[in-house]
């Protein structure tokens, strides 16, 4: 196959198809990056919360504003 056998219209279509695929791939990569970024923020937030709960538990307090689980309610 030599250069005279190449159809310019077919070559143009192939080039356009490749450009479209590249644009979709670029958009997908951007969306995936954003998703990973949000998930990483959530993981870090949950890790901080877990650390605070562990520290609170190690200090002898039960998690939550009510105090310990063995504490009697004020109406007793």
């Amino acid at each position: 196959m030599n250069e005279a056998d190449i159809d310019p219209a077919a070559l143009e279509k192939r080039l356009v198809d490749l450009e479209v695929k590249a644009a979709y791939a670029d958009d997908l990569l951007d969306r995936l990056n954003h998703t990973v970024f949000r998930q990483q923020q959530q993981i870090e937030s949950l890790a901080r919360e877990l650390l605070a709960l562990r520290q609170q538990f190690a200090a002898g307090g039960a998690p939550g504003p009510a105090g310990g689980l063995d504490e009697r309610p004020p109406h007793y």
Side-chain angles (χ1 to χ4, degrees):
M1 183 185 259
N2 59 33
E3 290 183 23
D5 295 336
I6 298 174
D7 180 18
L11 189 58
E12 178 72 20
K13 182 183 178 331
R14 288 179 61 195
L15 182 60
V16 169
D17 288 345
L18 288 172
E19 288 174 340
V20 168
K21 285 182 182 181
Y24 277 119
D26 193 41
D27 180 59
L28 178 61
L29 183 60
D30 286 342
R31 288 188 286 137
L32 288 173
N33 278 336
H34 184 70
T35 300
V36 169
F37 176 74
R38 284 185 295 117
Q39 287 177 342
Q40 184 61 37
Q41 285 181 319
Q42 187 176 22
I43 288 168
E44 290 170 359
S45 173
L46 291 170
R48 285 190 300 272
E49 187 176 339
L50 179 61
L51 179 61
L53 288 171
R54 283 182 175 166
Q55 289 172 344
Q56 186 176 3
F57 183 75
L69 294 177
D70 296 331
E71 191 175 303
R72 285 185 157 198
H75 63 276
Y76 277 108

